[in-house]
Amino acid sequence: MVAGVPGFLYGTAWKEGRTPALTELALRMGFRGIDTANQRRHYFEAGVGQGLAAAYRAGVVTRAELFLQTKFTDPRGQDHRLPYDPAADLATQVAQSLQSSLEHLGTDHVDSYVLHGPAAGHGWTDEDAEVWAAMATERDAGRARLLGVSNVGLPHLEQMAASGAEAPAFVQNRCFARLGWDREVRAFCTSREIVYQGFSLLTANPEVLRHRLVAAIAARGTVTPAQVVFRFAQAVGMLPLTGTSDAEHMTQDLASHDLALTADEVRAIESLAG
Ligand SMILES: NC(=O)c1ccc[n+]([C@@H]2O[C@H](COP(=O)([O-])OP(=O)(O)OC[C@H]3O[C@@H](n4cnc5c(N)ncnc54)[C@H](OP(=O)(O)O)[C@@H]3O)[C@@H](O)[C@H]2O)c1
């Protein structure tokens, strides 16, 4: 695991006006990693900053104790509320977006800066390469500590590597059990010491949450099926995200780390849907 990265990330998507209070609550409940994006369509990044500020004021946590991650989202992923000039070149868009993120989050650097998605579904394009290089420039200037890519398939990662581009520190993907929990991408990440961040671990996998194997493990450990899934994710090396709005679920999600799974159970969950 990369140094200074917590074992769980709290995701701030789709919370709108509740974003400040839920971000502060997540910190109070013990989360030390926050995931957001400068994409007003799905995230209220300035609201995350308000939640952080409230937590700092209350002495819950300091900036130095946090892992803050945000994203660059290209115009195709945005609505009309753009954090950059759409007529500017890509490097300028990246610089403007990150500058706006730093203002929203009240910090001089983020711990991780993620390319929200590649420009095309099939592979790593020249446009991606240009954005990635601009992100590296921001990192070199001290405005981000680590870089990541999101919503990528194996071809993106292989072409990115073949182009000679610097490898990401993180890959953040929706994780479907029926695809072996993104087996191919996870294997690529493992082989290159890239940390795989998994989202939608619960919402993408309702069949797993209902599965009798998972129910039996949950009963044995007096935990919930959701906790079994999160513990499984960590056991296979993933860094899971949760976007729960519920204080009790926040506690459960963090406590899932304490559930002991046998190697056989991990293997069984890994292959139960695909
Ligand atoms: N890179 C990308 O393109 C991308 C896309 C989507 C999401 N993300 C990131 O990932 C984060 C998480 O998103 P997500 O797609 O995983 O969905 P999510 O918003 O985390 O939804 C999780 C669902 O699981 C429930 N839940 C959480 N913990 C639970 C527990 N212990 N027991 C029962 N239910 C539980 C939540 O309900 P309650 O609220 O009732 O607990 C919620 O309905 C987002 O906030 C965002 O930061 C990134």
Side-chain angles (χ1 to χ4, degrees):
M1 190 58 82
V2 181
V5 183
F8 225 123
L9 297 184
Y10 183 69
T12 60
W14 312 303
K15 294 176 173 57
E16 287 298 321
R18 299 180 72 202
T19 303
L22 286 170
T23 301
E24 183 184 351
L25 180 63
L27 296 173
R28 286 183 182 276
M29 301 310 281
F31 284 93
R32 291 296 176 262
I34 300 289
D35 176 80
T36 187
N38 206 345
Q39 180 202 34
R40 191 61 191 86
R41 181 176 170 191
H42 294 305
Y43 297 79
F44 176 24
E45 191 180 48
V48 173
Q50 292 166 23
L52 295 174
Y56 299 153
R57 274 196 307 273
V60 174
V61 71
T62 65
R63 167 67 185 93
E65 292 166 328
L66 292 182
F67 175 88
L68 299 180
Q69 173 169 279
T70 192
K71 311 184 191 85
F72 172 76
T73 313
D74 78 15
R76 288 174 292 256
Q78 303 273 8
D79 60 18
H80 60 286
R81 295 167 289 181
L82 290 166
Y84 46 72
D85 174 3
D89 60 75
L90 292 171
T92 304
Q93 289 183 14
V94 169
Q96 290 178 349
S97 189
L98 182 52
Q99 180 55 37
S100 155
S101 288
L102 297 179
E103 286 163 19
H104 287 158
L105 299 172
T107 186
D108 62 358
H109 74 285
V110 289
D111 297 281
S112 168
Y113 199 41
V114 173
L115 173 57
H116 209 152
H122 53 79
W124 189 248
T125 63
D126 291 347
E127 186 178 326
D128 297 324
E130 204 175 323
V131 170
W132 190 243
M135 290 171 61
T137 300
E138 294 301 313
R139 188 269 322 275
D140 292 345
R143 289 185 279 272
R145 196 158 67 78
L146 298 161
L147 301 179
V149 291
S150 182
N151 297 301
V152 288
L154 189 58
H156 293 113
L157 292 167
E158 285 179 335
Q159 288 171 30
M160 184 185 186
S163 75
E166 178 183 330
F170 302 104
V171 165
Q172 184 183 99
N173 268 3
R174 181 165 279 122
C175 192
F176 290 99
R178 65 176 176 277
L179 300 177
W181 305 90
D182 214 2
R183 184 178 286 120
E184 288 184 341
V185 170
R186 285 194 297 117
F188 181 95
C189 290
T190 303
S191 70
R192 293 171 194 244
E193 296 187 354
I194 297 167
V195 175
Y196 180 97
Q197 302 181 3
F199 64 86
S200 301
L201 283 159
L202 304 184
T203 50
N205 303 306
E207 75 282 15
V208 172
L209 293 167
R210 285 193 304 264
H211 199 284
R212 60 189 155 67
L213 168 72
V214 171
I217 297 170
R220 170 180 63 66
T222 52
V223 295
T224 66
Q227 288 177 287
V228 175
V229 169
F230 284 133
R231 180 60 199 136
F232 157 76
Q234 291 175 326
V236 294
M238 286 188 220
L239 171 55
L241 287 102
T242 177
T244 180
S245 299
D246 181 287
E248 168 116 31
H249 288 165
M250 289 182 187
T251 303
Q252 290 176 353
D253 294 354
L254 287 171
S256 61
H257 186 263
D258 299 332
L259 172 67
L261 292 179
T262 67
D264 281 348
E265 287 171 339
V266 172
R267 268 193 296 276
I269 298 171
E270 193 161 23
S271 56
L272 62 75

